[in-house]
Amino acid sequence: MADTDLLRDDAKLRAAFKAGERQALSEVYRVYYSVAHNVAGRGFGNFRGFWNPADREDAVQAIFAAAFEPKARDSYNGLDPYTAFLRGIGQNVVRRMLERDARFKRTDGQPELEFRPPDDTEQDLIDAETHTVVRRFRESVSEPTESAILDRYFVEGEAEEKLAEGMGLTRYRVRKVIALLDRRMRRFLKQHGLE
Amino acid sequence: MSSANPTRACEGARHVDRYLDPTVRWTAAADAAMRGHLRTCDRCRGDYGRRVTLHRAMLGADLEMPSGFERGRMETALLDAAAPAPAPWWRFAVLPALAGAAVAVALWVTNAVPLPTPDPADYVGTRGGPSDEVTVGIGLSGVVAGREYEVVEGALYLDDALRITTSREVDEPDHAFIMGFQNGVTPIFYWPDPDNGELASMVVPRERSAALRAAGESIQFDLAGSHVAGRLVVVALFTPEPLSVAAVQEALGGFQMGEADRPELAAERLQATGAVVRSLSIDILPGSRRDASP
């Protein structure tokens, strides 16, 4: 596999990114999201990652917020892969989170780099059963337009404008379907006693 | 029991509701408020995890990874903070109308009776202009020994407590951010309360003269300890979306209460947030209303 790195290899994007242009930041966020997510979710060194989605996603946001600071954007040299650069920022951000938050403090005086949930097999089984039930919602959406919008908007995160353009629908129509799907999801959860 | 930092109802569920609702616009302030709250609330952190995982399961997506919809929310919040999009047109329409006015002031003094129609005599300043209809407002009253009293001649007493009411006659703006300013005193956050993990403005009811409430009970703020005798300017910022503490602090900039001769200047600075601004000015007198009353 070729050693490619978007921000390193695309000088125009890099210049726009360094200038803080919104479109460039958006592209960098989308392309490198998984890098920040892996640092927060899988960890590094002795840190095995945040198990809780709230902490994990808080860390992802903090990593990108730090990476989008003017000083951090300026300091990327454009020669090394941005993946490695972002990973470095991510590790520093996570270390600071672990140091700052008393929830992550260990009592043995060692740096807190391991924060894992207690084993709870029973709860895991209940969760697995619940998720099996909930996954049936996806199968209940069979109308082609609704199914496509469910996939493209909710799963893949495509923007409304692009969706409307790509599907030959008005934006109003797309919004109506999104709202309809949202109502159906909430109703489904309620019917199964999950909301 | 009155308190300057009363315990508040948990806001987390409402944040997560909005986060997962595609019909609600998501902003940097909303994201900061939700994540700030989650950092401090074990119960809401667990609830967030359960709800986003259910959301992902319903979509047939990876349970460990935010769905595309969630990533869109996260991205919007991040970009709004890092590279804000141009301000919406309505700010350009509304702000000039506000800029010429000194401070929008609606002194709706409340008591245990329904809020009266604003009387021009109650206004201690000027409104923002003809386009700034009085559809939102605030009121102040004093509380001593559990009894509420009217702000007579624009004064409260330092040994008493302050009760703040809001009035809202429209669907939006529905979020309020309420602060107090006095010479020589650090700006006072009434609503939200950052010390309590609240990092953005919160919805107030669409009612007239509704007291700020937490956990079903009206809040009152002890004046002693957090206030001093002298002029107090209470400023309320009404917005359709949550307004973050950071955005308010940025608007205040280097405003130093200790150096300022006029706390009213704070309200002017806060117009930079683009909010509908309501402020009122009262005097805090030493002692208690109990001692002053016949």
Side-chain angles (χ1 to χ4, degrees):
Chain A
M1 185 177 156
D3 176 23
T4 59
D5 187 283
L6 181 70
L7 204 55
R8 182 194 59 190
D9 302 340
D10 186 335
K12 196 174 165 189
L13 176 67
R14 195 166 61 248
F17 173 73
K18 289 199 170 215
E21 288 177 21
R22 191 177 171 98
Q23 189 56 40
L25 298 183
S26 170
E27 194 164 350
V28 167
Y29 184 84
R30 286 167 184 247
V31 169
Y32 294 96
Y33 182 90
S34 60
V35 175
H37 186 268
N38 285 344
V39 169
R42 294 187 187 168
F44 52 89
N46 292 328
F47 170 59
R48 287 183 282 166
F50 293 114
W51 64 272
N52 185 313
D55 292 325
R56 202 162 53 220
E57 283 136 35
D58 191 24
V60 169
Q61 291 296 79
I63 290 169
F64 276 108
F68 288 175
E69 288 281 331
K71 201 173 163 189
R73 294 198 312 265
D74 274 349
S75 61
Y76 174 54
N77 63 14
L79 300 172
D80 300 317
Y82 187 70
T83 303
F85 183 81
L86 182 62
R87 198 177 290 123
I89 290 177
Q91 292 177 1
N92 287 336
V93 166
V94 169
R95 281 194 193 96
R96 280 200 298 273
M97 284 177 72
L98 296 173
E99 285 163 11
R100 198 175 49 220
D101 195 326
R103 284 188 294 128
F104 306 131
K105 290 277 191 289
R106 285 191 353 189
T107 54
D108 58 3
Q110 294 300 309
E112 174 50 85
L113 289 174
E114 291 181 293
F115 184 68
R116 303 293 300 173
D119 285 338
D120 190 342
T121 311
E122 191 183 351
Q123 188 58 46
D124 287 349
L125 285 172
I126 293 168
D127 289 347
E129 199 174 313
T130 303
H131 295 151
T132 305
V133 171
V134 166
R135 281 188 190 279
R136 288 189 202 131
F137 173 79
R138 181 67 193 80
E139 296 156 20
S140 73
V141 181
S142 53
E143 199 277 323
T145 303
E146 292 174 6
S147 181
I149 289 180
L150 188 75
D151 281 338
R152 294 173 65 170
Y153 178 80
F154 284 100
V155 179
E156 292 161 22
E158 207 169 303
E160 278 176 18
E161 308 92 299
K162 202 174 157 199
L163 252 181
E165 198 182 314
M167 295 180 70
L169 300 171
T170 62
R171 200 164 161 189
Y172 175 76
R173 170 78 181 132
V174 169
R175 280 187 179 174
K176 292 280 277 187
V177 175
I178 289 169
L180 172 79
L181 288 168
D182 178 57
R183 282 199 301 276
R184 280 171 55 184
M185 282 194 266
R186 288 172 195 271
R187 204 179 309 135
F188 184 93
L189 289 175
K190 204 167 267 179
Q191 281 167 354
H192 290 83
L194 295 167
E195 191 172 81
Chain B
M1 164 105 184
S2 59
S3 165
N5 288 308
T7 301
R8 298 283 172 77
C10 202
E11 289 284 317
R14 195 173 58 82
H15 288 308
V16 181
D17 277 344
R18 293 173 67 87
Y19 179 61
L20 293 177
D21 184 346
T23 64
V24 174
R25 201 165 73 86
W26 195 243
T27 63
D31 202 70
M34 180 181 77
R35 298 196 192 283
H37 179 81
L38 294 178
R39 273 177 227 129
T40 61
C41 181
D42 291 342
R43 192 181 63 182
C44 290
R45 204 162 43 248
D47 184 55
Y48 171 93
R50 189 185 71 84
R51 291 182 62 187
V52 296
T53 307
L54 282 174
H55 162 85
R56 294 165 196 173
M58 290 185 92
L59 301 174
D62 182 349
L63 301 184
E64 298 291 311
M65 178 78 106
S67 66
F69 168 72
E70 290 171 81
R71 288 201 303 277
R73 299 299 238 186
M74 294 166 74
E75 181 188 333
T76 300
L78 202 70
L79 296 186
D80 278 353
W89 64 269
W90 57 266
R91 285 200 184 168
F92 294 105
V94 172
L95 276 179
L98 294 173
V103 179
V105 177
L107 178 52
W108 287 359
V109 181
T110 61
N111 201 335
V113 296
L115 183 78
T117 300
D119 181 341
D122 286 338
Y123 286 86
V124 294
T126 56
R127 292 180 189 169
S131 65
D132 181 20
E133 295 173 20
V134 181
T135 52
V136 288
I138 54 171
L140 302 181
S141 57
V143 181
V144 59
R147 294 175 66 103
E148 193 169 350
Y149 65 85
E150 192 174 342
V151 178
V152 180
E153 296 177 348
L156 287 177
Y157 292 86
L158 190 58
D159 291 344
D160 300 343
L162 166 69
R163 181 167 290 165
I164 301 175
T165 59
T166 59
S167 291
R168 177 162 73 87
E169 298 175 344
V170 287
D171 286 339
E172 288 186 340
D174 56 349
H175 288 72
F177 197 117
I178 307 174
M179 296 182 74
F181 298 91
Q182 288 198 282
N183 270 338
V185 174
T186 306
I188 304 148
F189 290 89
Y190 297 118
W191 178 270
D193 177 7
D195 290 342
N196 215 11
E198 298 166 357
L199 299 177
S201 60
M202 298 182 289
V203 171
V204 292
R206 185 176 170 160
E207 289 175 30
R208 303 188 84 194
S209 192
L212 297 179
R213 299 178 81 81
E217 293 186 5
S218 66
I219 303 168
Q220 57 196 48
F221 303 90
D222 285 335
L223 293 173
S226 52
H227 297 67
V228 295
R231 199 79 175 150
L232 167 68
V233 176
V234 178
V235 181
L237 308 171
F238 289 89
T239 52
E241 300 290 340
L243 182 62
S244 69
V245 171
V248 169
Q249 284 171 331
E250 189 184 338
L252 283 171
F255 186 73
Q256 297 295 319
M257 297 311 301
E259 298 167 6
D261 293 330
R262 294 170 52 216
E264 288 83 354
L265 290 175
E268 291 182 15
R269 293 226 179 174
L270 288 169
Q271 287 182 356
T273 59
V276 175
V277 181
R278 296 285 182 263
S279 73
L280 52 85
S281 181
I282 57 170
D283 286 321
I284 296 181
L285 306 176
S288 169
R289 169 65 181 263
R290 191 167 25 196
D291 307 324
S293 299

